[in-house]
Amino acid sequence: MKDTFTHQGMRKKLVETLKTKGITDRNVLQAIGKIPRHLFMDSGFVDHAYVDKAFPIAAEQTISQPYTVARQTELLEVKKGDKILEIGTGSGYQAAVLLEMNALLYTIERQNELFKKTRLFLPKLGYKPKRMIFGDGYIGLEDEAPFNGIIVTAGAPFVPQPLLAQLKIGGKLVIPVGENVQVMTVFHRKSETEFEKKEYGEFKFVPLLEDKN
Ligand code: SAH
């Protein structure tokens, strides 16, 4: 598990690319500049690690495009010590970004092969989520709620109500909503009953599937 000067150089360029694409949150850029994304991919593909593209990982899933990770994280407005729930652990890259920003992270994955792999891998890099759960993100994580932020990293055909219910007042749910193409949507909880909804353009994700596998 090496991180060479070449990797670091490529990462700097990736950060510059993300800036030109409009990412401004310094903590997000700093986290992406620090995390060895190539280690989250199978070793044959390290050349692709610092190109701003999504890439296949195990079990027909993808590691999200760096821009998408950056944009979603920026929209979540993570502060140090925030309690964050991630739906779709996947490779663990998005989780690493949140941990690098000092979030207290809870992350759920429904695909057992990926869950087992990433549960072993993340701590090896020094990234320690509060809990990694093998389960169905549609129902959230009731026993740890409420959260300052919830981030969904798969395309949701509809907004799961438990996720809205598990937000703190003032908290945000960042979720790509749609079937074939998804609209990045943010729900900001204003009170027990009020949510402000804002949309931030189209993205493409693998689907949020029901139940675990
Ligand atoms: N955050 C990941 C992105 C992985 S792609 C990363 O940085 O690599 C989306 C992930 O969501 C996949 O691993 C997929 O298995 C998972 N997923 C899909 N439906 C889910 C559900 N209902 N609950 C939890 N995870 C789910």
Side-chain angles (χ1 to χ4, degrees):
M1 297 219 295
K2 268 201 272 184
D3 188 32
T4 65
F5 282 125
T6 312
H7 294 127
Q8 290 163 26
M10 289 195 284
R11 219 151 50 228
K12 265 200 183 135
K13 279 197 190 146
L14 173 62
V15 168
E16 290 309 313
T17 304
L18 296 177
K19 279 190 198 164
T20 58
K21 289 186 176 179
I23 302 300
T24 56
D25 187 323
R26 287 183 52 213
N27 295 328
V28 173
L29 292 167
Q30 208 171 29
I32 289 176
K34 202 164 164 197
I35 300 166
R37 188 171 186 262
H38 61 284
L39 300 179
F40 291 75
M41 302 166 61
D42 291 332
S43 54
F45 303 121
V46 293
D47 288 351
H48 300 264
Y50 299 107
V51 180
D52 188 23
K53 286 208 170 112
F55 206 78
I57 49 174
E60 287 168 38
Q61 299 306 318
T62 56
I63 177 168
S64 301
Q65 181 178 344
Y67 174 76
T68 305
V69 172
R71 189 69 183 118
Q72 274 197 284
T73 313
E74 186 169 75
L75 290 170
L76 199 61
E77 294 186 274
V78 185
K79 291 182 300 299
K80 189 175 175 176
D82 275 357
K83 199 170 172 184
I84 303 289
L85 175 65
E86 177 194 25
I87 311 296
T89 314
S91 69
Y93 181 72
Q94 170 75 69
V97 171
L98 293 164
L99 289 164
E100 197 62 66
M101 295 171 76
N102 296 305
L104 303 177
L105 184 68
Y106 299 78
T107 180
I108 307 178
E109 173 57 55
R110 72 172 281 283
Q111 222 292 328
N112 198 242
E113 185 190 337
L114 271 173
F115 168 73
K116 288 194 287 195
K117 190 174 167 192
T118 303
R119 186 176 50 170
L120 292 177
F121 171 71
L122 269 182
K124 282 190 194 154
L125 289 188
Y127 292 118
K128 300 196 176 85
K130 282 271 165 198
R131 273 176 71 188
M132 299 182 80
I133 297 114
F134 172 51
D136 179 6
Y138 272 96
I139 58 174
L141 192 60
E142 181 65 43
D143 60 338
E144 300 284 358
F147 297 95
N148 298 95
I150 302 179
I151 179 169
V152 179
T153 70
F158 59 89
V159 180
Q161 289 309 303
L163 301 186
L164 289 172
Q166 290 172 23
L167 278 182
K168 279 187 190 168
I169 291 169
K172 287 186 169 171
L173 167 65
V174 179
I175 180 168
V177 187
E179 302 267 355
N180 296 318
V181 173
Q182 293 81 34
V183 175
M184 191 60 74
T185 311
V186 177
F187 291 89
H188 187 178
R189 187 168 205 170
K190 296 290 185 181
S191 70
E192 265 317 307
T193 52
E194 291 162 285
F195 294 86
E196 179 189 82
K197 176 182 166 187
K198 285 192 183 164
E199 295 181 339
Y200 295 89
E202 290 186 349
F203 290 79
K204 208 153 170 35
F205 284 80
V206 294
L208 186 69
L209 300 171
E210 305 249 10
D211 241 334
K212 49 188 183 187
N213 173 355

